[in-house]
Amino acid sequence: MQSLEEFDKDNIPDGVIRKLSKYADDPVYTPEAVAKQSRAAMSLCMWTRAMHVYNRVAKVVGPKREKLRQAEASLEEANRKLAEKQVRHCSGARPAGCLGEPARRCRN
């Protein structure tokens, strides 16, 4: 039971997924049908089908997560550069209180 709970679902080899697909795609391999033989087997059926679906979804979502991570890093860098420019812009011949004010108050 512990090995199922700790199973590394994010790194299932493609060969395992191909083998699992033979069963997961079989219309007879359903929790309801398997439950007629064994309740424990029904639970394993549900788990294997869930891992199969998770793997398909992860292959779609994974690249999108990576693009999101890159976009967030780019945004963070752009915000850092903006903050530096705002400080430089506001620290020139501006009123003393300008440094702590939002950018819209610093502009002429």
Side-chain angles (χ1 to χ4, degrees):
M1 190 62 149
Q2 185 177 0
S3 64
L4 295 178
E5 291 175 358
E6 296 174 355
F7 185 77
D8 186 7
K9 64 183 178 278
D10 293 315
N11 295 305
I12 303 173
D14 289 336
V16 172
I17 292 298
R18 277 193 298 275
K19 290 176 185 176
L20 179 58
S21 293
K22 293 177 188 176
Y23 299 100
D25 296 338
D26 186 345
V28 178
Y29 187 67
T30 64
E32 296 79 20
V34 174
K36 293 176 184 175
Q37 301 301 315
S38 163
R39 297 203 44 79
M42 178 189 80
S43 296
L44 286 173
C45 175
M46 292 170 61
W47 183 83
T48 56
R49 292 173 66 86
M51 291 300 106
H52 188 254
V53 169
Y54 180 88
N55 184 267
R56 280 196 326 236
V57 170
K59 288 188 186 275
V60 172
V61 173
K64 292 178 181 182
R65 281 186 178 165
E66 179 59 25
K67 285 182 183 179
L68 174 62
R69 188 194 63 73
Q70 291 173 356
E72 286 174 337
S74 178
L75 176 62
E76 187 177 315
E77 177 65 16
N79 282 337
R80 185 188 60 75
K81 288 178 180 179
L82 175 63
E84 287 175 5
K85 289 182 180 189
Q86 286 175 337
V87 167
R88 270 186 277 154
H89 174 76
C90 292
S91 64
R94 303 277 179 233
C98 186
L99 282 175
E101 297 295 317
R104 68 180 177 277
R105 292 186 188 166
C106 294
R107 294 185 184 142
N108 282 338

